[in-house]
PDB file of all heavy atoms in Angstrom:
ATOM      1  N   MET A  26     -71.384  -9.117 -51.608  1.00 41.00           N
ATOM      2  CA  MET A  26     -70.103  -9.486 -51.011  1.00 41.00           C
ATOM      3  C   MET A  26     -69.894 -10.982 -51.166  1.00 41.00           C
ATOM      4  O   MET A  26     -70.842 -11.766 -51.167  1.00 41.00           O
ATOM      5  CB  MET A  26     -70.094  -9.113 -49.517  1.00 41.00           C
ATOM      6  CG  MET A  26     -68.743  -9.339 -48.836  1.00 41.00           C
ATOM      7  SD  MET A  26     -68.778  -8.874 -47.080  1.00 41.00           S
ATOM      8  CE  MET A  26     -69.128  -7.133 -47.238  1.00 41.00           C
ATOM      9  N   PHE A  27     -68.643 -11.385 -51.303  1.00 42.00           N
ATOM     10  CA  PHE A  27     -68.345 -12.784 -51.499  1.00 42.00           C
ATOM     11  C   PHE A  27     -68.415 -13.517 -50.165  1.00 42.00           C
ATOM     12  O   PHE A  27     -67.788 -13.138 -49.193  1.00 42.00           O
ATOM     13  CB  PHE A  27     -66.944 -12.950 -52.102  1.00 42.00           C
ATOM     14  CG  PHE A  27     -66.779 -12.190 -53.384  1.00 42.00           C
ATOM     15  CD1 PHE A  27     -65.961 -11.083 -53.440  1.00 42.00           C
ATOM     16  CD2 PHE A  27     -67.471 -12.564 -54.523  1.00 42.00           C
ATOM     17  CE1 PHE A  27     -65.820 -10.376 -54.615  1.00 42.00           C
ATOM     18  CE2 PHE A  27     -67.342 -11.858 -55.690  1.00 42.00           C
ATOM     19  CZ  PHE A  27     -66.510 -10.756 -55.737  1.00 42.00           C
ATOM     20  N   THR A  28     -69.202 -14.593 -50.104  1.00 45.00           N
ATOM     21  CA  THR A  28     -69.377 -15.321 -48.858  1.00 45.00           C
ATOM     22  C   THR A  28     -68.819 -16.730 -48.935  1.00 45.00           C
ATOM     23  O   THR A  28     -68.664 -17.375 -47.920  1.00 45.00           O
ATOM     24  CB  THR A  28     -70.875 -15.401 -48.506  1.00 45.00           C
ATOM     25  OG1 THR A  28     -71.594 -16.031 -49.589  1.00 45.00           O
ATOM     26  CG2 THR A  28     -71.452 -14.001 -48.285  1.00 45.00           C
ATOM     27  N   ARG A  29     -68.547 -17.218 -50.121  1.00 51.00           N
ATOM     28  CA  ARG A  29     -68.051 -18.581 -50.250  1.00 51.00           C
ATOM     29  C   ARG A  29     -67.053 -18.636 -51.390  1.00 51.00           C
ATOM     30  O   ARG A  29     -67.258 -18.046 -52.443  1.00 51.00           O
ATOM     31  CB  ARG A  29     -69.224 -19.537 -50.547  1.00 51.00           C
ATOM     32  CG  ARG A  29     -68.813 -21.000 -50.636  1.00 51.00           C
ATOM     33  CD  ARG A  29     -70.046 -21.858 -50.827  1.00 51.00           C
ATOM     34  NE  ARG A  29     -70.709 -21.569 -52.091  1.00 51.00           N
ATOM     35  CZ  ARG A  29     -70.385 -22.125 -53.264  1.00 51.00           C
ATOM     36  NH1 ARG A  29     -69.396 -22.992 -53.324  1.00 51.00           N
ATOM     37  NH2 ARG A  29     -71.036 -21.814 -54.363  1.00 51.00           N
ATOM     38  N   THR A  30     -65.944 -19.327 -51.167  1.00 63.00           N
ATOM     39  CA  THR A  30     -64.931 -19.437 -52.206  1.00 63.00           C
ATOM     40  C   THR A  30     -65.280 -20.601 -53.128  1.00 63.00           C
ATOM     41  O   THR A  30     -65.344 -21.741 -52.684  1.00 63.00           O
ATOM     42  CB  THR A  30     -63.542 -19.680 -51.580  1.00 63.00           C
ATOM     43  OG1 THR A  30     -63.250 -18.616 -50.681  1.00 63.00           O
ATOM     44  CG2 THR A  30     -62.480 -19.747 -52.667  1.00 63.00           C
ATOM     45  N   PRO A  31     -65.516 -20.347 -54.424  1.00 82.00           N
ATOM     46  CA  PRO A  31     -65.826 -21.430 -55.351  1.00 82.00           C
ATOM     47  C   PRO A  31     -64.665 -22.418 -55.432  1.00 82.00           C
ATOM     48  O   PRO A  31     -63.512 -22.067 -55.175  1.00 82.00           O
ATOM     49  CB  PRO A  31     -66.019 -20.698 -56.692  1.00 82.00           C
ATOM     50  CG  PRO A  31     -66.313 -19.280 -56.308  1.00 82.00           C
ATOM     51  CD  PRO A  31     -65.531 -19.023 -55.068  1.00 82.00           C
ATOM     52  N   VAL A  32     -64.985 -23.655 -55.802  1.00 89.00           N
ATOM     53  CA  VAL A  32     -63.972 -24.712 -55.864  1.00 89.00           C
ATOM     54  C   VAL A  32     -62.786 -24.327 -56.749  1.00 89.00           C
ATOM     55  O   VAL A  32     -61.630 -24.456 -56.320  1.00 89.00           O
ATOM     56  CB  VAL A  32     -64.594 -26.045 -56.332  1.00 89.00           C
ATOM     57  CG1 VAL A  32     -63.503 -27.081 -56.616  1.00 89.00           C
ATOM     58  CG2 VAL A  32     -65.539 -26.580 -55.263  1.00 89.00           C
ATOM     59  N   PRO A  33     -63.000 -23.855 -57.979  1.00 88.00           N
ATOM     60  CA  PRO A  33     -61.847 -23.510 -58.818  1.00 88.00           C
ATOM     61  C   PRO A  33     -60.941 -22.463 -58.172  1.00 88.00           C
ATOM     62  O   PRO A  33     -59.715 -22.558 -58.252  1.00 88.00           O
ATOM     63  CB  PRO A  33     -62.479 -22.975 -60.104  1.00 88.00           C
ATOM     64  CG  PRO A  33     -63.827 -23.623 -60.150  1.00 88.00           C
ATOM     65  CD  PRO A  33     -64.266 -23.661 -58.716  1.00 88.00           C
ATOM     66  N   GLN A  34     -61.546 -21.474 -57.515  1.00 86.00           N
ATOM     67  CA  GLN A  34     -60.746 -20.424 -56.877  1.00 86.00           C
ATOM     68  C   GLN A  34     -59.968 -20.986 -55.692  1.00 86.00           C
ATOM     69  O   GLN A  34     -58.816 -20.607 -55.447  1.00 86.00           O
ATOM     70  CB  GLN A  34     -61.656 -19.280 -56.418  1.00 86.00           C
ATOM     71  CG  GLN A  34     -60.911 -18.008 -56.035  1.00 86.00           C
ATOM     72  CD  GLN A  34     -60.334 -17.279 -57.237  1.00 86.00           C
ATOM     73  OE1 GLN A  34     -60.365 -17.770 -58.354  1.00 86.00           O
ATOM     74  NE2 GLN A  34     -59.794 -16.099 -57.003  1.00 86.00           N
ATOM     75  N   SER A  35     -60.594 -21.910 -54.963  1.00 91.00           N
ATOM     76  CA  SER A  35     -59.909 -22.537 -53.831  1.00 91.00           C
ATOM     77  C   SER A  35     -58.692 -23.329 -54.300  1.00 91.00           C
ATOM     78  O   SER A  35     -57.612 -23.267 -53.691  1.00 91.00           O
ATOM     79  CB  SER A  35     -60.885 -23.459 -53.085  1.00 91.00           C
ATOM     80  OG  SER A  35     -60.245 -24.140 -52.046  1.00 91.00           O
ATOM     81  N   ILE A  36     -58.854 -24.047 -55.402  1.00 93.00           N
ATOM     82  CA  ILE A  36     -57.739 -24.836 -55.942  1.00 93.00           C
ATOM     83  C   ILE A  36     -56.665 -23.919 -56.515  1.00 93.00           C
ATOM     84  O   ILE A  36     -55.467 -24.168 -56.361  1.00 93.00           O
ATOM     85  CB  ILE A  36     -58.245 -25.815 -57.019  1.00 93.00           C
ATOM     86  CG1 ILE A  36     -59.253 -26.789 -56.402  1.00 93.00           C
ATOM     87  CG2 ILE A  36     -57.083 -26.572 -57.649  1.00 93.00           C
ATOM     88  CD1 ILE A  36     -58.730 -27.548 -55.189  1.00 93.00           C
ATOM     89  N   ALA A  37     -57.086 -22.837 -57.157  1.00 93.00           N
ATOM     90  CA  ALA A  37     -56.110 -21.874 -57.680  1.00 93.00           C
ATOM     91  C   ALA A  37     -55.262 -21.321 -56.535  1.00 93.00           C
ATOM     92  O   ALA A  37     -54.047 -21.140 -56.678  1.00 93.00           O
ATOM     93  CB  ALA A  37     -56.827 -20.730 -58.409  1.00 93.00           C
ATOM     94  N   ARG A  38     -55.881 -21.075 -55.395  1.00 92.00           N
ATOM     95  CA  ARG A  38     -55.145 -20.573 -54.233  1.00 92.00           C
ATOM     96  C   ARG A  38     -54.118 -21.596 -53.749  1.00 92.00           C
ATOM     97  O   ARG A  38     -52.987 -21.246 -53.396  1.00 92.00           O
ATOM     98  CB  ARG A  38     -56.111 -20.250 -53.102  1.00 92.00           C
ATOM     99  CG  ARG A  38     -56.904 -18.977 -53.306  1.00 92.00           C
ATOM    100  CD  ARG A  38     -57.778 -18.691 -52.088  1.00 92.00           C
ATOM    101  NE  ARG A  38     -58.486 -17.441 -52.254  1.00 92.00           N
ATOM    102  CZ  ARG A  38     -57.963 -16.248 -52.060  1.00 92.00           C
ATOM    103  NH1 ARG A  38     -56.692 -16.166 -51.686  1.00 92.00           N
ATOM    104  NH2 ARG A  38     -58.654 -15.153 -52.233  1.00 92.00           N
ATOM    105  N   LYS A  39     -54.529 -22.863 -53.708  1.00 93.00           N
ATOM    106  CA  LYS A  39     -53.609 -23.914 -53.253  1.00 93.00           C
ATOM    107  C   LYS A  39     -52.409 -24.029 -54.188  1.00 93.00           C
ATOM    108  O   LYS A  39     -51.266 -24.168 -53.735  1.00 93.00           O
ATOM    109  CB  LYS A  39     -54.349 -25.257 -53.160  1.00 93.00           C
ATOM    110  CG  LYS A  39     -55.372 -25.320 -52.043  1.00 93.00           C
ATOM    111  CD  LYS A  39     -56.093 -26.664 -52.021  1.00 93.00           C
ATOM    112  CE  LYS A  39     -57.129 -26.710 -50.911  1.00 93.00           C
ATOM    113  NZ  LYS A  39     -57.865 -28.003 -50.882  1.00 93.00           N
ATOM    114  N   LEU A  40     -52.669 -23.952 -55.485  1.00 93.00           N
ATOM    115  CA  LEU A  40     -51.574 -24.043 -56.453  1.00 93.00           C
ATOM    116  C   LEU A  40     -50.682 -22.804 -56.384  1.00 93.00           C
ATOM    117  O   LEU A  40     -49.461 -22.904 -56.507  1.00 93.00           O
ATOM    118  CB  LEU A  40     -52.147 -24.226 -57.858  1.00 93.00           C
ATOM    119  CG  LEU A  40     -52.789 -25.590 -58.134  1.00 93.00           C
ATOM    120  CD1 LEU A  40     -53.545 -25.572 -59.457  1.00 93.00           C
ATOM    121  CD2 LEU A  40     -51.728 -26.687 -58.150  1.00 93.00           C
ATOM    122  N   GLN A  41     -51.297 -21.627 -56.191  1.00 92.00           N
ATOM    123  CA  GLN A  41     -50.503 -20.415 -56.057  1.00 92.00           C
ATOM    124  C   GLN A  41     -49.577 -20.533 -54.847  1.00 92.00           C
ATOM    125  O   GLN A  41     -48.400 -20.157 -54.913  1.00 92.00           O
ATOM    126  CB  GLN A  41     -51.396 -19.176 -55.888  1.00 92.00           C
ATOM    127  CG  GLN A  41     -50.578 -17.894 -55.689  1.00 92.00           C
ATOM    128  CD  GLN A  41     -51.439 -16.683 -55.384  1.00 92.00           C
ATOM    129  OE1 GLN A  41     -51.475 -15.733 -56.153  1.00 92.00           O
ATOM    130  NE2 GLN A  41     -52.113 -16.686 -54.249  1.00 92.00           N
ATOM    131  N   GLU A  42     -50.085 -21.055 -53.748  1.00 92.00           N
ATOM    132  CA  GLU A  42     -49.270 -21.218 -52.548  1.00 92.00           C
ATOM    133  C   GLU A  42     -48.114 -22.173 -52.800  1.00 92.00           C
ATOM    134  O   GLU A  42     -46.993 -21.962 -52.314  1.00 92.00           O
ATOM    135  CB  GLU A  42     -50.134 -21.724 -51.387  1.00 92.00           C
ATOM    136  CG  GLU A  42     -49.372 -21.935 -50.084  1.00 92.00           C
ATOM    137  CD  GLU A  42     -48.603 -20.714 -49.616  1.00 92.00           C
ATOM    138  OE1 GLU A  42     -49.097 -19.584 -49.799  1.00 92.00           O
ATOM    139  OE2 GLU A  42     -47.493 -20.886 -49.080  1.00 92.00           O
ATOM    140  N   MET A  43     -48.370 -23.224 -53.580  1.00 92.00           N
ATOM    141  CA  MET A  43     -47.300 -24.169 -53.913  1.00 92.00           C
ATOM    142  C   MET A  43     -46.205 -23.484 -54.732  1.00 92.00           C
ATOM    143  O   MET A  43     -45.021 -23.780 -54.589  1.00 92.00           O
ATOM    144  CB  MET A  43     -47.882 -25.370 -54.669  1.00 92.00           C
ATOM    145  CG  MET A  43     -48.789 -26.249 -53.814  1.00 92.00           C
ATOM    146  SD  MET A  43     -49.666 -27.523 -54.783  1.00 92.00           S
ATOM    147  CE  MET A  43     -48.283 -28.603 -55.197  1.00 92.00           C
ATOM    148  N   ILE A  44     -46.618 -22.529 -55.584  1.00 90.00           N
ATOM    149  CA  ILE A  44     -45.651 -21.791 -56.402  1.00 90.00           C
ATOM    150  C   ILE A  44     -44.874 -20.798 -55.529  1.00 90.00           C
ATOM    151  O   ILE A  44     -43.645 -20.710 -55.591  1.00 90.00           O
ATOM    152  CB  ILE A  44     -46.363 -21.062 -57.555  1.00 90.00           C
ATOM    153  CG1 ILE A  44     -46.937 -22.083 -58.551  1.00 90.00           C
ATOM    154  CG2 ILE A  44     -45.402 -20.101 -58.272  1.00 90.00           C
ATOM    155  CD1 ILE A  44     -47.854 -21.485 -59.606  1.00 90.00           C
ATOM    156  N   LEU A  45     -45.603 -20.073 -54.671  1.00 88.00           N
ATOM    157  CA  LEU A  45     -44.958 -19.073 -53.828  1.00 88.00           C
ATOM    158  C   LEU A  45     -44.014 -19.709 -52.805  1.00 88.00           C
ATOM    159  O   LEU A  45     -42.982 -19.127 -52.450  1.00 88.00           O
ATOM    160  CB  LEU A  45     -46.011 -18.232 -53.104  1.00 88.00           C
ATOM    161  CG  LEU A  45     -46.892 -17.327 -53.978  1.00 88.00           C
ATOM    162  CD1 LEU A  45     -47.944 -16.633 -53.140  1.00 88.00           C
ATOM    163  CD2 LEU A  45     -46.048 -16.300 -54.715  1.00 88.00           C
ATOM    164  N   SER A  46     -44.382 -20.906 -52.328  1.00 89.00           N
ATOM    165  CA  SER A  46     -43.557 -21.584 -51.326  1.00 89.00           C
ATOM    166  C   SER A  46     -42.374 -22.320 -51.936  1.00 89.00           C
ATOM    167  O   SER A  46     -41.459 -22.748 -51.226  1.00 89.00           O
ATOM    168  CB  SER A  46     -44.410 -22.573 -50.528  1.00 89.00           C
ATOM    169  OG  SER A  46     -44.828 -23.657 -51.358  1.00 89.00           O
ATOM    170  N   GLY A  47     -42.393 -22.489 -53.268  1.00 89.00           N
ATOM    171  CA  GLY A  47     -41.308 -23.198 -53.932  1.00 89.00           C
ATOM    172  C   GLY A  47     -41.554 -24.675 -54.108  1.00 89.00           C
ATOM    173  O   GLY A  47     -40.705 -25.394 -54.654  1.00 89.00           O
ATOM    174  N   ASP A  48     -42.718 -25.168 -53.660  1.00 92.00           N
ATOM    175  CA  ASP A  48     -43.046 -26.571 -53.901  1.00 92.00           C
ATOM    176  C   ASP A  48     -43.143 -26.849 -55.409  1.00 92.00           C
ATOM    177  O   ASP A  48     -42.829 -27.946 -55.871  1.00 92.00           O
ATOM    178  CB  ASP A  48     -44.367 -26.938 -53.216  1.00 92.00           C
ATOM    179  CG  ASP A  48     -44.234 -27.008 -51.698  1.00 92.00           C
ATOM    180  OD1 ASP A  48     -43.090 -27.143 -51.219  1.00 92.00           O
ATOM    181  OD2 ASP A  48     -45.256 -26.923 -51.000  1.00 92.00           O
ATOM    182  N   LEU A  49     -43.629 -25.841 -56.129  1.00 91.00           N
ATOM    183  CA  LEU A  49     -43.604 -25.876 -57.590  1.00 91.00           C
ATOM    184  C   LEU A  49     -42.668 -24.751 -58.009  1.00 91.00           C
ATOM    185  O   LEU A  49     -42.941 -23.581 -57.760  1.00 91.00           O
ATOM    186  CB  LEU A  49     -45.003 -25.662 -58.175  1.00 91.00           C
ATOM    187  CG  LEU A  49     -46.003 -26.817 -58.018  1.00 91.00           C
ATOM    188  CD1 LEU A  49     -47.389 -26.394 -58.487  1.00 91.00           C
ATOM    189  CD2 LEU A  49     -45.539 -28.044 -58.799  1.00 91.00           C
ATOM    190  N   LYS A  50     -41.572 -25.099 -58.632  1.00 91.00           N
ATOM    191  CA  LYS A  50     -40.525 -24.120 -58.929  1.00 91.00           C
ATOM    192  C   LYS A  50     -40.657 -23.537 -60.334  1.00 91.00           C
ATOM    193  O   LYS A  50     -41.205 -24.169 -61.230  1.00 91.00           O
ATOM    194  CB  LYS A  50     -39.146 -24.767 -58.751  1.00 91.00           C
ATOM    195  CG  LYS A  50     -38.866 -25.216 -57.316  1.00 91.00           C
ATOM    196  CD  LYS A  50     -37.537 -25.902 -57.204  1.00 91.00           C
ATOM    197  CE  LYS A  50     -37.215 -26.224 -55.745  1.00 91.00           C
ATOM    198  NZ  LYS A  50     -38.280 -27.027 -55.100  1.00 91.00           N
ATOM    199  N   SER A  51     -40.125 -22.336 -60.508  1.00 89.00           N
ATOM    200  CA  SER A  51     -40.144 -21.672 -61.801  1.00 89.00           C
ATOM    201  C   SER A  51     -39.508 -22.564 -62.866  1.00 89.00           C
ATOM    202  O   SER A  51     -38.424 -23.113 -62.669  1.00 89.00           O
ATOM    203  CB  SER A  51     -39.380 -20.343 -61.708  1.00 89.00           C
ATOM    204  OG  SER A  51     -39.423 -19.669 -62.939  1.00 89.00           O
ATOM    205  N   GLY A  52     -40.213 -22.728 -63.974  1.00 90.00           N
ATOM    206  CA  GLY A  52     -39.733 -23.570 -65.064  1.00 90.00           C
ATOM    207  C   GLY A  52     -40.146 -25.018 -64.947  1.00 90.00           C
ATOM    208  O   GLY A  52     -39.995 -25.795 -65.905  1.00 90.00           O
ATOM    209  N   GLU A  53     -40.688 -25.401 -63.803  1.00 93.00           N
ATOM    210  CA  GLU A  53     -41.073 -26.800 -63.585  1.00 93.00           C
ATOM    211  C   GLU A  53     -42.401 -27.108 -64.258  1.00 93.00           C
ATOM    212  O   GLU A  53     -43.333 -26.297 -64.248  1.00 93.00           O
ATOM    213  CB  GLU A  53     -41.187 -27.067 -62.082  1.00 93.00           C
ATOM    214  CG  GLU A  53     -41.573 -28.491 -61.715  1.00 93.00           C
ATOM    215  CD  GLU A  53     -41.644 -28.705 -60.213  1.00 93.00           C
ATOM    216  OE1 GLU A  53     -41.129 -27.841 -59.464  1.00 93.00           O
ATOM    217  OE2 GLU A  53     -42.200 -29.728 -59.781  1.00 93.00           O
ATOM    218  N   LYS A  54     -42.496 -28.281 -64.834  1.00 93.00           N
ATOM    219  CA  LYS A  54     -43.757 -28.720 -65.433  1.00 93.00           C
ATOM    220  C   LYS A  54     -44.671 -29.217 -64.322  1.00 93.00           C
ATOM    221  O   LYS A  54     -44.255 -30.009 -63.470  1.00 93.00           O
ATOM    222  CB  LYS A  54     -43.499 -29.844 -66.438  1.00 93.00           C
ATOM    223  CG  LYS A  54     -44.753 -30.313 -67.175  1.00 93.00           C
ATOM    224  CD  LYS A  54     -44.406 -31.377 -68.204  1.00 93.00           C
ATOM    225  CE  LYS A  54     -45.639 -31.855 -68.949  1.00 93.00           C
ATOM    226  NZ  LYS A  54     -45.316 -32.891 -69.964  1.00 93.00           N
ATOM    227  N   ILE A  55     -45.907 -28.720 -64.295  1.00 93.00           N
ATOM    228  CA  ILE A  55     -46.808 -29.131 -63.229  1.00 93.00           C
ATOM    229  C   ILE A  55     -47.404 -30.501 -63.558  1.00 93.00           C
ATOM    230  O   ILE A  55     -47.397 -30.941 -64.710  1.00 93.00           O
ATOM    231  CB  ILE A  55     -47.934 -28.098 -63.012  1.00 93.00           C
ATOM    232  CG1 ILE A  55     -48.911 -28.094 -64.192  1.00 93.00           C
ATOM    233  CG2 ILE A  55     -47.358 -26.706 -62.790  1.00 93.00           C
ATOM    234  CD1 ILE A  55     -50.142 -27.247 -63.925  1.00 93.00           C
ATOM    235  N   PRO A  56     -47.903 -31.230 -62.553  1.00 91.00           N
ATOM    236  CA  PRO A  56     -48.506 -32.547 -62.796  1.00 91.00           C
ATOM    237  C   PRO A  56     -49.654 -32.457 -63.797  1.00 91.00           C
ATOM    238  O   PRO A  56     -50.231 -31.390 -64.016  1.00 91.00           O
ATOM    239  CB  PRO A  56     -49.001 -32.965 -61.409  1.00 91.00           C
ATOM    240  CG  PRO A  56     -48.117 -32.216 -60.459  1.00 91.00           C
ATOM    241  CD  PRO A  56     -47.864 -30.891 -61.119  1.00 91.00           C
ATOM    242  N   SER A  57     -49.994 -33.583 -64.369  1.00 90.00           N
ATOM    243  CA  SER A  57     -51.072 -33.631 -65.358  1.00 90.00           C
ATOM    244  C   SER A  57     -52.404 -33.278 -64.716  1.00 90.00           C
ATOM    245  O   SER A  57     -52.560 -33.340 -63.481  1.00 90.00           O
ATOM    246  CB  SER A  57     -51.169 -35.022 -65.972  1.00 90.00           C
ATOM    247  OG  SER A  57     -51.619 -35.957 -64.999  1.00 90.00           O
ATOM    248  N   GLN A  58     -53.375 -32.926 -65.546  1.00 90.00           N
ATOM    249  CA  GLN A  58     -54.702 -32.606 -65.029  1.00 90.00           C
ATOM    250  C   GLN A  58     -55.309 -33.804 -64.313  1.00 90.00           C
ATOM    251  O   GLN A  58     -56.000 -33.652 -63.299  1.00 90.00           O
ATOM    252  CB  GLN A  58     -55.617 -32.139 -66.168  1.00 90.00           C
ATOM    253  CG  GLN A  58     -55.252 -30.773 -66.716  1.00 90.00           C
ATOM    254  CD  GLN A  58     -56.298 -30.215 -67.657  1.00 90.00           C
ATOM    255  OE1 GLN A  58     -57.439 -30.697 -67.699  1.00 90.00           O
ATOM    256  NE2 GLN A  58     -55.933 -29.200 -68.421  1.00 90.00           N
ATOM    257  N   ARG A  59     -55.045 -35.012 -64.816  1.00 92.00           N
ATOM    258  CA  ARG A  59     -55.566 -36.210 -64.152  1.00 92.00           C
ATOM    259  C   ARG A  59     -54.989 -36.339 -62.749  1.00 92.00           C
ATOM    260  O   ARG A  59     -55.725 -36.571 -61.786  1.00 92.00           O
ATOM    261  CB  ARG A  59     -55.230 -37.464 -64.974  1.00 92.00           C
ATOM    262  CG  ARG A  59     -55.709 -38.771 -64.316  1.00 92.00           C
ATOM    263  CD  ARG A  59     -55.262 -39.981 -65.116  1.00 92.00           C
ATOM    264  NE  ARG A  59     -53.812 -40.049 -65.208  1.00 92.00           N
ATOM    265  CZ  ARG A  59     -53.034 -40.501 -64.215  1.00 92.00           C
ATOM    266  NH1 ARG A  59     -53.560 -40.876 -63.060  1.00 92.00           N
ATOM    267  NH2 ARG A  59     -51.727 -40.552 -64.377  1.00 92.00           N
TER     268      ARG A  59
END
Side-chain angles (χ1 to χ4, degrees):
M26 186 180 297
F27 304 110
T28 57
R29 183 176 64 85
T30 303
V32 171
Q34 193 72 353
S35 176
I36 299 305
R38 285 183 177 281
K39 291 179 181 179
L40 289 170
Q41 178 186 244
E42 180 54 36
M43 292 171 70
I44 293 171
L45 293 176
S46 68
D48 288 340
L49 288 173
K50 297 177 175 56
S51 182
E53 180 179 345
K54 183 177 180 180
I55 70 171
S57 68
Q58 289 190 16
R59 178 184 61 79

